[in-house]
Amino acid sequence: MSNIEKDTLNFLSELERNNNRDWFSDHKHLYLKAKDNMEAVVNQIISGVSDFDKSMERLEAKNCIFRIYKDTRFSKDKTPYKTNIGASLVEKGPKTLNHAGYYIHIEPGKSFLAGGVYMTEPKNLKAIREKISAEGEDFLKIINKKSFRDNFELRGDKLIKVPQGFDKDNPMGEYLKFKQFTVFHSLSDEDVVNENFINRTVKIYKEIYPFNLFLNQAISD
């Protein structure tokens, strides 16, 4: 079983200090080694998650890992490279665009696991809100489960008021204000390089699965 190597974190730390094309070109072999390491780990995570979430079975890590090259066209920060390696595990296909999935973010001192929906189409967001409004008890049962609350923080930008189309006194009003439905689980550098990292990640994603399933059922319906 592969694990995230200390050399991968060391490369990212060095890249943060030397975020320029000359340094990256001279050290590209270290980037390729870190990328291969991440790919091996993510493939094992996909295999583990597929045991309970069959939508992951067709994924390959090479298609899930984000490019390290930044798009700086509309950014004030013109440094050319990301200082993290991330992967998004979401079922691919025209009928699964913007669905809920899992995310892994490896960055020295800032690593985390996540799940849910970050950016989705307005019609999908409306469908999620409608399902939460209609099935609030089921939604609360998921997010109030002790193992869920012990591991995650529900995050997302929120509206000031309950969105149009819903009663302002809706008992699920505070949740209907969310514009993103995401959960985060922070990781220390020690967590990331621990030999149990893959098993821990699969376990965390298994806790996220009912949350993702609820969101995806709303979007699919």
Side-chain angles (χ1 to χ4, degrees):
M1 178 177 286
S2 301
N3 293 296
I4 298 291
E5 299 171 358
K6 290 183 179 179
D7 285 348
T8 296
L9 291 185
N10 290 340
F11 164 75
L12 293 171
S13 294
E14 287 297 314
L15 178 59
E16 184 175 19
R17 290 190 286 269
N18 302 276
N19 200 332
N20 62 78
R21 290 181 174 82
D22 288 342
W23 184 91
F24 189 86
S25 178
D26 289 342
H27 296 83
K28 191 169 183 178
H29 63 288
L30 297 180
Y31 162 63
L32 294 175
K33 182 181 177 184
K35 183 183 177 184
D36 287 345
N37 177 217
M38 183 72 167
E39 189 171 311
V41 168
V42 171
N43 270 326
Q44 290 175 85
I45 291 171
I46 289 171
S47 177
V49 174
S50 296
D51 287 342
F52 56 84
D53 187 342
K54 299 304 180 184
S55 71
M56 298 291 107
E57 288 180 332
R58 295 180 292 277
L59 296 187
E60 296 181 70
K62 65 181 181 180
N63 299 322
C64 299
I65 296 173
F66 291 104
R67 288 165 49 86
I68 201 163
Y69 308 97
K70 288 167 55 179
D71 182 351
T72 61
R73 289 175 298 172
F74 308 107
S75 174
K76 292 181 180 179
D77 180 1
K78 297 301 181 181
T79 51
Y81 307 104
K82 301 172 186 174
T83 55
N84 67 79
I85 301 180
S88 178
L89 312 184
V90 183
E91 184 180 10
K92 302 298 191 293
K95 294 184 179 180
T96 59
L97 183 65
N98 299 322
H99 272 205
Y102 312 91
Y103 178 68
I104 176 173
H105 181 101
I106 302 300
E107 182 174 9
K110 302 176 184 178
S111 298
F112 62 87
L113 305 174
V117 169
Y118 179 62
M119 298 291 287
T120 192
E121 297 175 7
K123 66 177 183 178
N124 292 341
L125 182 57
K126 183 174 184 289
I128 291 170
R129 286 169 170 162
E130 288 175 344
K131 186 173 178 69
I132 290 174
S133 178
E135 303 175 28
E137 187 174 327
D138 292 339
F139 183 74
L140 291 175
K141 186 176 180 180
I142 292 169
I143 66 171
N144 287 332
K145 182 181 175 184
K146 185 178 186 305
S147 56
F148 193 92
R149 288 188 288 106
D150 286 347
N151 282 296
F152 308 115
E153 176 186 354
L154 181 61
R155 294 187 196 171
D157 292 340
K158 294 180 72 175
L159 300 171
I160 296 174
K161 297 179 180 179
V162 174
Q164 289 185 344
F166 298 93
D167 192 310
K168 64 185 176 107
D169 296 320
N170 190 302
M172 298 298 292
E174 284 304 309
Y175 296 103
L176 301 181
K177 293 177 183 178
F178 277 96
K179 295 191 285 184
Q180 295 110 21
F181 292 87
T182 53
V183 292
F184 287 79
H185 179 89
S186 296
L187 298 167
S188 67
D189 290 350
E190 291 74 18
D191 293 331
V192 170
V193 299
N194 189 283
E195 62 182 11
N196 196 45
F197 174 71
I198 292 172
N199 290 334
R200 175 178 178 172
T201 298
V202 171
K203 184 177 179 181
I204 291 296
Y205 287 163
K206 192 171 185 178
E207 289 289 342
I208 293 175
Y209 175 62
F211 179 73
N212 278 355
L213 185 61
F214 184 96
L215 300 178
N216 284 335
Q217 284 174 341
I219 293 171
S220 297
D221 291 345

